[in-house]
Amino acid sequence: MQRQQGLTLLELMVVLLIIGFATAGVALALRDSSQTQLEREAQRLIAKLESARAQSRTSGQTMVWVPTTEGYVIDTLPRTANQTVSKEVWLQANTQASIDIPSNASGTGVVLGPEPILSPIQISLRISSDVPNTNTNNNATQPNTMRIGTQGLKPFEVLP
């Protein structure tokens, strides 16, 4: 009796099918959820705010954080004519920020003065998703929201 060498076409197709399912499962498991993206944006904003706060303390200049439609701007007050402005863009395009507790806000921004103690600040970050809200009968989208803030003495942190 002669023994067959190699793989049959059916065996090869089964192996390729198993590899395809495994690859698809890994690819779906590694996708970022909007909550993960929002947490990443929050941590990045916290780092930027703390950096601006430290820069304000060391230079003695007042820094202001202003949200924009594409991201945010960190600037100094008073602004000089030839000074460059730090314009940051959100990592996720549909991220929005709003100031909830603007007790130390200047216009539409948050003042990060050279003083070591700030007034309480809360900022809400939202990533609008295209997933319909299933809790109501309308087709409104359900935004993911995360709040960051400081009570004045502590560093900025994610709030519950």
Side-chain angles (χ1 to χ4, degrees), residues 4 6 9 19 23 28 33 42 44 49-50 52-53 58 64 75 81 85 94 102 107 112 137 139 145 147 158:
Q4 181 182 5
L9 182 60
I19 291 172
T23 304
L28 289 175
S33 69
R44 180 173 173 245
L49 289 171
E50 284 301 319
R53 194 173 175 185
T58 56
V64 63
D75 201 0
V85 178
N94 52 352
L112 305 165
N137 292 333
N139 289 333
T145 304
R147 291 182 314 128
V158 175

Side-chain angles (χ1 to χ4, degrees), residues 17-125:
L17 186 67
I18 291 171
I19 291 172
F21 279 133
T23 304
V26 168
L28 289 175
L30 292 178
R31 286 182 38 187
D32 274 349
S33 69
S34 58
Q35 187 65 27
T36 305
Q37 293 168 350
L38 188 61
E39 289 171 6
R40 187 178 309 126
E41 290 285 9
Q43 292 301 327
R44 180 173 173 245
L45 181 58
I46 288 171
K48 291 288 187 173
L49 289 171
E50 284 301 319
S51 173
R53 194 173 175 185
Q55 182 181 352
S56 174
R57 283 190 218 149
T58 56
S59 68
Q61 287 187 308
T62 303
M63 305 289 286
V64 63
W65 175 84
V66 181
T68 64
T69 54
E70 302 87 27
Y72 52 90
V73 174
I74 298 176
D75 201 0
T76 59
L77 293 177
R79 191 164 187 282
T80 58
N82 59 354
Q83 180 181 357
T84 60
V85 178
S86 171
K87 294 181 182 178
E88 299 286 336
V89 227
W90 297 115
L91 297 175
Q92 186 67 25
N94 52 352
T95 303
Q96 302 164 348
S98 63
I99 304 166
D100 295 338
I101 298 181
S103 55
N104 76 333
S106 165
T108 58
V110 173
V111 175
L112 305 165
E115 302 83 22
I117 299 176
L118 301 173
S119 298
I121 303 167
Q122 287 185 11
I123 300 169
S124 289
L125 293 178

